[in-house]
């Protein structure tokens, strides 16, 4: 398995190069897997994340389903499968996948999945469910600007104008762009001692990726 060392490298080089370059190089390195290398759940997560950033729903679906073959209760794989279905506007399947992610514990940050549900429900005109989902996201992360925005939209459609205005103000104050991008790397990076990563022999294999 390579995921722990791989994720350590990803966390480290995140501080050195633009994220898009990191994702490209990681995908190039492990897709298709090199001979003798097997992928585990966290490696599949990185692939799903990378292709999700590139709006490649087909690849996200491919790797999420591969992860689920290994573990049908993998909440992160269910989350990314939901993202894949969302990307091709199959909202019923997206909702089902997101709810399975919640059932099995949710992704690294469960607020993500509640935010995505709020977005879908708003798109489908189910504003009560959108309000409920956005509030659940905000109970987990009060600074989630995108969730405040979805809550504001739902409240406005429900005629709750004063509450909607307050939610829009919150979205503006926290920023309406808090997505997987920053929080994913923060969670992953927090698990690793950068000094030990720099001393590891494994790092030398990835040296060309960021120099």
């Amino acid at each position: 398995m390579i995921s722990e060392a791989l994720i350590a490298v990803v966390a480290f080089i995140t501080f050195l190069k633009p994220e898009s370059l990191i994702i490209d190089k990681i995908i190039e390195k492990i897709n298709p897997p090199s001979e003798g290398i097997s992928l585990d759940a966290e490696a599949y997560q990185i692939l799903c994340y990378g292709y999700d950033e590139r709006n490649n729903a087909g690849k996200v679906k491919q790797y999420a389903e591969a992860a689920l073959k290994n573990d049908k209760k993998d909440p992160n794989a269910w989350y990314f499968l939901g993202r894949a279905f969302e990307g091709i506007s199959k909202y019923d399947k997206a909702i089902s996948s997101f709810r399975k992610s919640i059932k099995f514990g949710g992704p690294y940050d469960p607020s993500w999945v509640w935010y995505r549900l709020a977005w879908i429900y708003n798109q489908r005109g189910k504003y009560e469910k959108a309000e409920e989902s956005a509030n659940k996201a905000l109970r987990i992360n009060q600074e989630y600007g995108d969730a405040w925005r979805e809550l504001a939209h739902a409240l406005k459609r429900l005629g709750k104008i004063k509450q909607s205005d307050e939610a829009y103000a919150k979205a503006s104050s926290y920023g309406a762009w808090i997505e997987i991008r920053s929080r994913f790397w923060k969670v992953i990076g927090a698990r690793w001692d950068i000094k030990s990563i720099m001393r590891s022999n494994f790092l030398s294999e990835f040296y060309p990726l960021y120099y």
Side-chain angles (χ1 to χ4, degrees):
M1 294 293 184
I2 65 167
S3 75
E4 290 196 356
L6 176 61
I7 291 171
V9 173
V10 172
F12 174 64
I13 62 178
T14 297
F15 296 101
L16 303 179
K17 289 291 184 180
E19 184 179 286
S20 61
L21 176 61
I22 295 167
I23 295 169
D24 287 341
K25 293 300 183 182
I26 293 299
I27 288 174
E28 179 183 328
K29 187 70 180 180
I30 64 176
N31 175 34
S34 302
E35 184 177 354
I37 293 179
S38 59
L39 303 184
D40 68 4
E42 290 182 316
Y44 280 124
Q45 278 179 248
I46 292 173
L47 287 169
C48 287
Y49 168 77
Y51 283 114
D52 190 32
E53 284 294 289
R54 276 143 187 71
N55 299 313
N56 190 332
K59 284 290 187 179
V60 176
K61 183 174 182 289
Q62 175 186 337
Y63 289 113
E65 289 177 340
L68 288 169
K69 286 181 180 178
N70 293 340
D71 180 4
K72 293 185 182 299
K73 296 183 179 181
D74 182 341
N76 293 289
W78 281 113
Y79 170 79
F80 280 113
L81 186 59
R83 289 287 293 144
F85 285 129
E86 183 183 348
I88 55 176
S89 300
K90 293 187 176 181
Y91 294 135
D92 287 335
K93 289 186 176 181
I95 290 169
S96 176
S97 297
F98 287 144
R99 292 205 169 275
K100 285 181 180 177
S101 177
I102 293 166
K103 177 182 177 181
F104 297 126
Y108 274 119
D109 184 338
S111 66
W112 302 340
V113 73
W114 287 114
Y115 159 66
R116 298 315 313 175
L117 284 168
W119 185 89
I120 290 174
Y121 287 135
N122 269 329
Q123 294 296 307
R124 304 188 83 181
K126 297 183 177 181
Y127 302 117
E128 292 86 357
K129 288 187 175 181
E131 179 186 7
E132 178 186 3
S133 297
N135 276 322
K136 286 183 177 180
L138 291 166
R139 280 199 286 271
I140 298 167
N141 177 11
Q142 278 287 318
E143 298 182 359
Y144 202 157
D146 285 340
W148 280 111
R149 186 189 65 224
E150 294 304 321
L151 177 61
H153 182 73
L155 290 169
K156 183 177 181 180
R157 294 292 185 173
L158 292 169
K160 302 176 182 180
I161 304 303
K162 182 179 179 180
Q163 292 171 273
S164 176
D165 289 344
E166 291 172 352
Y168 275 125
K170 289 280 191 180
S172 178
S173 67
Y174 289 123
W177 191 80
I178 300 177
E179 296 191 19
I180 295 177
R181 181 177 290 105
S182 61
R183 296 184 63 79
F184 181 87
W185 296 117
K186 182 178 180 181
V187 171
I188 293 294
R191 297 176 53 194
W192 302 99
D193 176 354
I194 298 302
K195 290 183 179 179
S196 67
I197 295 169
M198 293 178 68
R199 290 195 297 267
S200 71
N201 292 330
F202 187 84
L203 184 61
S204 63
E205 180 182 350
F206 286 85
Y207 192 88
L209 297 186
Y210 56 90
Y211 282 101

